[in-house]
């Protein structure tokens, strides 16, 4: 049983797009509003993209970037909080965090695709 859970977790980290699509169809049965379905599936799959990008960076460049990624996440969150304070003169942390988390989904989705293409190109160059 523990092997099945480990394999499911490994597949989820390797292919976070499958997690996003799977969550989309699960939430589609739960919620009626299409916008809520999309936002929920994105919110719950963002962590898989972050972990996947960390693993891809370690595999491609043989160096750990966990600290840099955590620092990047904190700086971006801090920027969103400061911008919200500048524009509205009050900070609603829930709104700032939702905007931060959605933007991190977009950032790490693009990073996942670009690192995947980089890995493919690097393997093609090595085998030639």
């Amino acid at each position: 049983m523990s092997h099945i859970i480990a394999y499911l977790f490994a597949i989820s980290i390797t292919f976070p797009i499958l997690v996003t699509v799977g969550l989309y169809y699960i939430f589609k049965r739960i919620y009626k509003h299409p916008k809520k379905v999309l936002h929920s599936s994105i919110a719950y799959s963002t962590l898989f993209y972050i972990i996947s990008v960390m693993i891809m960076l370690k595999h491609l460049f043989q160096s750990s970037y966990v600290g840099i990624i955590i620092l990047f996440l904190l700086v971006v969150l801090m920027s969103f909080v400061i911008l919200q304070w500048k524009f509205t003169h009050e900070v609603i942390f829930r709104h700032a965090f939702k905007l931060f988390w959605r933007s991190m989904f977009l950032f790490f989705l693009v990073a996942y695709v670009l690192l995947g293409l980089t890995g493919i190109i690097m393997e093609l160059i090595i085998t030639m």
Side-chain angles (χ1 to χ4, degrees), residues 61-78:
F61 305 114
Q62 285 79 36
S63 183
S64 179
Y65 293 95
V66 175
I68 294 171
I69 290 176
I70 290 173
L71 183 65
F72 170 74
L73 290 171
L74 289 173
V75 167
V76 172
L77 179 60
M78 183 180 63

Side-chain angles (χ1 to χ4, degrees), residues 7-31:
Y7 288 134
L8 286 175
F9 186 71
I11 290 170
S12 300
I13 295 301
T14 307
F15 303 109
I17 294 173
L18 295 177
V19 173
T20 305
V21 171
L23 286 173
Y24 180 82
Y25 286 113
I26 290 171
F27 286 127
K28 194 172 183 180
R29 293 187 177 264
I30 295 172
Y31 301 121

